[in-house]
Amino acid sequence: MEEELRSLWTQITFGSKLNIFPNSGKFNNIVIFGMGGSGIAGSIFQELYSDMPVISINDYKVPNFVGKSTLAIGISYSGNTIETVTALDECIDAGAKVVSITSGGVLSQEKYDPLIIPSGLQPRSAIGYLLIPLINTFMSFAPSEYKEAASVTRNLDNNNREIMDLAESMVKNRQIPFIYGFTPFRSLAYRWKTQFNENSKIFAYSGFFPEMDHNDIIPMKSTYRKEEFKFLVFGAENNRFISERISATADLTDSQFTIIEPRGNSILSKLFYLIHYGDYLSYYVAKARGIDPKEVEVITQLKKMIR
Amino acid sequence: MEEELRSLWTQITFGSKLNIFPNSGKFNNIVIFGMGGSGIAGSIFQELYSDMPVISINDYKVPNFVGKSTLAIGISYSGNTIETVTALDECIDAGAKVVSITSGGVLSQEKYDPLIIPSGLQPRSAIGYLLIPLINTFMSFAPSEYKEAASVTRNLDNNNREIMDLAESMVKNRQIPFIYGFTPFRSLAYRWKTQFNENSKIFAYSGFFPEMDHNDIIPMKSTYRKEEFKFLVFGAENNRFISERISATADLTDSQFTIIEPRGNSILSKLFYLIHYGDYLSYYVAKARGIDPKEVEVITQLKKMIR
């Protein structure tokens, strides 16, 4: 599993050459289907890109508006996720242009116009391959920005003792992580949550500023069991509105926030730095619990039981 | 506070006559802004209606695509929510058609083309007034469906001893609620979460099927502290795909799910029944904790500290 995590910087370098199709000019909206570790790529992209409406869906359900002017993108690392395959088939019937990002399986069939990415990883470890083609196709980042992103990610592979200590203290106190992001990194908080679920086998909660100031701020002050939660908050050094909210929320509720400042200048670097920090934190929580971070047998069992 | 809760059925009856504007024909997409107890109306509507792309935003941030073909709707019960006012002003500058749903404040100014709803409630208690105008304007429910929704809601006002018992057992065991919905009731799980936050002053977590089968199912089997969570799951009697998933998930993870079956034939009835069930459950949790469900002073304090 650690070797898989260490592949992220090469995914960034390799991924920066991938596109899902050459021309996006004729669509009015984009609908992205995907579940779990694959679906998160759609949610992260939805936050980064807003030149047209993007709807990220983690479900079987296809919206009524899907038709000729819709680009429907299915993301499934295995290519066999039943929810995503079902939804893409329905999009084809509705006349949408369909493309897929997959390492194989059903979605690698020609009718899904697939981008085939390297196989052999856990879906959640393939986030670079799954996400970067979306970014490349619709947004213009410079080669130097990809280079910086690969570099901050690789640095974390070689220097993460601090993360190990944080993980060990969380396990010692049997804490449940509460992760708070902010635009454009809200979905990264959800990515961390799912990494804690799959790697560490613990529950986790994700939310974001400013929405949490309308609800979570109340139990933060007066819930029972507060000491059993660990508040992990993405740093907002360059965003005065949010950084003021973070300080005010901690002060008013008398809470300890562990702030994780993203690194690098480009938004790509900050994005992948935060992703990778969460990868390692959830991995070390598993190790501190004496649990195999890779094993997700119950998901496999469930897939056999249902459609 | 209980009197406020008991006003929901009259909100449904009164609300069924409200519209935000007479003609929606000329828009390509809808963007809805709102935070906390007001924002949830946009999220619920986004799930119910999909004849055009609807984006529900709980943030300051306006997407780039917003322009002449966008209908921008701002929902703020007070009319003064800084995030929502800021976003609507930006939408006006971008040339979007703007409307608001509010009981007063800044958003009641003519330039926001407001629908003024009755004041004097907590925003979270005004869900009927905030949500129904959206539904009325874009969807066609029969008068008999509104009547049934008002009726199942009112029945709950007079017969909810079972909910009180559930609340008392949750408090006795200091449990954190984990609420799981499914389309089109995913946002209702989030509504319950925020009601637990604001009324009961406890943390809560919301998720949905089938996405949770890709991540939460793992800690459900092997997390620490599992006995301290209370799994509340909306019943899916009429949805075989989801009801099979619910059973399989409970079996595989050896978990006790408390299933709440929605009542009534119309989707409107099921929707408001589930909303109201969560209203009472969070209210009784507050009572069992000896806490005032109405008080949300820390939100008011924060609003004074930041923009």
Side-chain angles (χ1 to χ4, degrees):
Chain A
M1 185 80 186
E2 189 163 6
E3 202 167 317
E4 289 196 11
L5 297 186
R6 297 177 74 88
S7 79
L8 185 55
W9 77 271
T10 56
Q11 291 183 44
I12 296 170
T13 306
F14 179 82
S16 69
K17 278 132 196 128
L18 301 176
N19 276 271
I20 41 177
F21 66 104
N23 186 344
S24 67
K26 58 180 175 166
F27 305 108
N28 289 338
N29 49 69
I30 300 173
V31 182
I32 308 180
F33 297 93
M35 306 301 298
S38 299
I40 189 68
S43 303
I44 294 172
F45 175 70
Q46 177 182 26
E47 260 190 273
L48 289 176
Y49 177 78
S50 73
D51 288 351
M52 67 180 120
V54 177
I55 314 259
S56 171
I57 298 179
N58 319 113
D59 208 334
Y60 304 89
K61 172 102 181 120
V62 174
N64 297 341
F65 69 80
V66 167
K68 285 194 188 355
S69 59
T70 300
L71 173 65
I73 305 172
I75 306 181
S76 166
Y77 189 68
S78 71
N80 295 321
T81 309
I82 185 69
E83 297 94 325
T84 310
V85 173
T86 306
L88 273 205
D89 284 343
E90 211 179 301
C91 289
I92 291 174
D93 291 346
K97 163 72 180 161
V98 163
V99 294
S100 70
I101 302 175
T102 184
S103 73
V106 175
L107 288 192
S108 68
Q109 292 170 19
E110 205 176 323
K111 69 170 174 170
Y112 301 108
D113 200 353
L115 170 72
I116 312 282
I117 54 175
S119 62
L121 298 168
Q122 293 284 319
R124 61 191 183 279
S125 299
I127 184 70
Y129 292 138
L130 295 166
L131 170 60
I132 292 180
L134 294 171
I135 294 176
N136 277 344
T137 303
F138 296 97
M139 306 176 76
S140 305
F141 286 102
S144 63
E145 293 179 286
Y146 283 103
K147 211 170 160 185
E148 188 193 46
S151 160
V152 299
T153 306
R154 195 176 191 181
N155 284 345
L156 215 40
D157 292 332
N158 301 318
N159 184 14
N160 57 33
R161 177 75 230 178
E162 167 201 317
I163 306 180
M164 207 182 293
D165 292 343
L166 176 56
E168 281 165 10
S169 96
M170 285 171 63
V171 173
K172 201 176 122 204
N173 298 300
R174 300 177 82 227
Q175 286 172 320
I176 301 288
F178 270 50
I179 313 120
Y180 292 97
F182 57 91
T183 296
F185 302 132
R186 287 172 304 168
S187 306
L188 294 196
Y190 184 72
R191 157 78 178 183
W192 281 40
K193 173 223 168 281
T194 59
Q195 291 287 76
F196 282 118
N197 296 157
E198 293 192 67
N199 294 339
S200 323
K201 281 79 175 166
I202 62 173
F203 282 116
Y205 168 89
S206 64
F208 60 98
F209 288 90
E211 172 70 4
M212 68 83 76
D213 279 335
H214 296 262
N215 34 65
D216 276 358
I217 190 174
I218 294 172
M220 243 176 215
K221 199 173 172 81
S222 57
T223 191
Y224 36 59
R225 296 175 41 196
K226 181 173 167 182
E227 68 289 356
E228 298 168 17
F229 302 103
K230 178 73 180 177
F231 301 114
L232 302 165
V233 179
F234 298 164
E237 249 178 19
N238 298 324
N239 184 331
R240 197 161 49 89
F241 292 111
I242 299 295
S243 63
E244 281 176 9
R245 279 187 177 272
I246 293 173
S247 309
T249 305
D251 286 352
L252 275 175
T253 63
D254 235 336
S255 301
Q256 291 288 336
F257 289 174
T258 299
I259 309 272
I260 295 100
E261 266 326 319
R263 297 232 171 122
N265 294 306
S266 167
I267 198 168
L268 274 187
S269 301
K270 296 178 202 285
L271 176 79
F272 280 104
Y273 179 85
L274 288 175
I275 286 176
H276 215 38
Y277 198 106
D279 291 344
Y280 277 113
L281 185 56
S282 58
Y283 173 82
Y284 288 129
V285 166
K287 289 292 175 188
R289 294 189 69 206
I291 273 177
D292 177 5
K294 198 162 182 172
E295 180 272 314
V296 288
E297 182 55 27
V298 66
I299 295 184
T300 316
Q301 287 171 352
L302 185 95
K303 283 180 179 169
K304 283 181 197 146
M305 288 174 71
I306 48 86
R307 280 144 306 175
Chain B
M1 185 77 186
E2 191 163 3
E3 202 167 319
E4 289 197 9
L5 296 187
R6 297 176 74 88
S7 79
L8 186 54
W9 76 272
T10 56
Q11 291 183 44
I12 296 170
T13 306
F14 179 83
S16 69
K17 277 133 197 127
L18 300 177
N19 276 272
I20 43 178
F21 65 105
N23 187 343
S24 67
K26 58 181 176 166
F27 305 108
N28 289 337
N29 49 68
I30 301 173
V31 181
I32 309 180
F33 297 93
M35 307 300 299
S38 299
I40 189 66
S43 304
I44 294 172
F45 174 70
Q46 177 182 25
E47 259 189 275
L48 289 176
Y49 177 78
S50 73
D51 289 351
M52 69 178 118
V54 178
I55 313 259
S56 171
I57 299 178
N58 319 113
D59 208 333
Y60 304 89
K61 172 101 180 119
V62 174
N64 296 342
F65 69 79
V66 168
K68 285 192 190 354
S69 59
T70 300
L71 172 66
I73 305 171
I75 305 181
S76 166
Y77 190 67
S78 71
N80 295 322
T81 310
I82 185 68
E83 297 94 325
T84 310
V85 173
T86 306
L88 273 204
D89 285 343
E90 211 178 298
C91 289
I92 291 173
D93 291 345
K97 163 70 180 161
V98 164
V99 293
S100 70
I101 301 174
T102 184
S103 73
V106 175
L107 288 192
S108 67
Q109 292 169 21
E110 205 176 325
K111 69 171 174 169
Y112 301 109
D113 199 352
L115 169 71
I116 311 282
I117 55 176
S119 62
L121 298 168
Q122 293 285 317
R124 61 190 181 283
S125 300
I127 183 70
Y129 293 137
L130 295 166
L131 171 59
I132 292 180
L134 295 171
I135 293 178
N136 277 345
T137 303
F138 296 97
M139 305 176 78
S140 304
F141 285 103
S144 63
E145 293 179 285
Y146 282 104
K147 211 171 161 186
E148 188 193 46
S151 161
V152 299
T153 307
R154 195 176 191 183
N155 284 344
L156 216 40
D157 291 333
N158 300 318
N159 183 16
N160 57 32
R161 177 74 230 180
E162 166 200 317
I163 307 180
M164 207 181 293
D165 292 344
L166 177 56
E168 282 165 11
S169 94
M170 285 172 62
V171 173
K172 202 177 124 203
N173 298 301
R174 299 178 83 226
Q175 287 173 320
I176 300 288
F178 270 50
I179 312 118
Y180 293 97
F182 58 91
T183 297
F185 302 132
R186 287 172 304 169
S187 307
L188 295 197
Y190 184 72
R191 158 77 179 186
W192 280 40
K193 173 222 168 281
T194 59
Q195 290 288 75
F196 282 117
N197 297 156
E198 293 191 70
N199 294 339
S200 323
K201 280 78 176 167
I202 62 172
F203 282 115
Y205 168 88
S206 64
F208 60 98
F209 288 90
E211 171 71 3
M212 67 84 73
D213 279 334
H214 296 262
N215 34 64
D216 277 359
I217 190 174
I218 294 170
M220 243 176 214
K221 198 173 172 80
S222 57
T223 190
Y224 37 60
R225 294 175 42 196
K226 180 173 167 182
E227 68 289 357
E228 300 168 16
F229 301 104
K230 178 74 181 177
F231 302 113
L232 303 165
V233 180
F234 298 164
E237 249 177 19
N238 298 322
N239 185 329
R240 196 161 50 88
F241 292 111
I242 299 296
S243 62
E244 281 176 8
R245 278 185 177 273
I246 293 173
S247 309
T249 305
D251 286 352
L252 275 175
T253 62
D254 234 336
S255 299
Q256 291 288 336
F257 289 174
T258 300
I259 310 274
I260 295 99
E261 269 321 323
R263 298 233 172 123
N265 293 306
S266 167
I267 200 168
L268 274 187
S269 300
K270 295 177 201 286
L271 177 80
F272 280 104
Y273 179 85
L274 288 175
I275 287 175
H276 215 37
Y277 198 106
D279 290 345
Y280 277 112
L281 186 56
S282 59
Y283 173 82
Y284 289 128
V285 166
K287 289 293 175 186
R289 294 189 68 207
I291 274 177
D292 177 5
K294 197 162 182 170
E295 178 272 316
V296 288
E297 183 55 27
V298 66
I299 294 184
T300 316
Q301 288 172 353
L302 185 96
K303 282 180 178 169
K304 284 182 196 146
M305 288 174 71
I306 47 83
R307 279 144 307 174

